[in-house]
Amino acid sequence: MFDHLTTDRTDPTTAFDCPSCGTASTGGPRDHCPQCLHTRHRDPADPCGAPMAPLAVAVHGPGDWRLIHRCTACATLTSAPVRADDHQVALMALAVRPLAQPPFPLDLLGRI
């Protein structure tokens, strides 16, 4: 289903400073912000460098959650594993967004 996505190939040995909220990483290597879940497009194959916004959460299996990001400049999609120290409310808000904002009027559900 997500075959067109690229895996985020950021260098895990570098520190991460969030391009969106400014949070600086302090707990080891990171590829996205633990607070707002944003990242920066640092794929060596396409080093655009622009901010990437979290778009969705994909679940590939039990315990295998991945963040899907879209580059704000070139629209490239990437995926990165969810980390244990990611902000749980931000993750859940992202995961339930399709249910909270469906692509059709909610009153149509009553007609089914």
Side-chain angles (χ1 to χ4, degrees):
M1 180 157 122
F2 294 101
D3 295 337
H4 63 287
L5 298 178
T6 60
T7 301
D8 190 348
R9 296 184 188 100
T10 57
D11 181 356
T13 61
T14 61
F16 181 82
D17 294 326
C18 182
S20 180
C21 71
T23 297
S25 66
T26 56
R30 292 210 67 87
D31 58 7
H32 61 271
C33 178
Q35 294 302 310
C36 71
L37 309 177
H38 283 72
T39 191
R40 184 167 300 285
H41 195 177
R42 297 186 291 183
D43 185 339
D46 187 15
C48 155
M52 296 186 83
L55 182 64
V57 174
V59 181
H60 289 267
D64 186 16
W65 281 37
R66 298 189 66 83
L67 283 168
I68 309 302
H69 291 95
R70 180 186 302 151
C71 181
T72 59
C74 67
T76 295
L77 297 174
T78 63
S79 71
V82 168
R83 294 182 43 127
D85 60 346
D86 286 341
H87 194 283
Q88 294 173 354
V89 173
L91 283 170
M92 292 309 295
L94 194 58
V96 301
R97 188 178 351 178
L99 298 174
Q101 300 170 349
F104 52 83
L106 288 176
D107 62 341
L108 290 178
L109 291 176
R111 297 181 193 166
I112 297 175

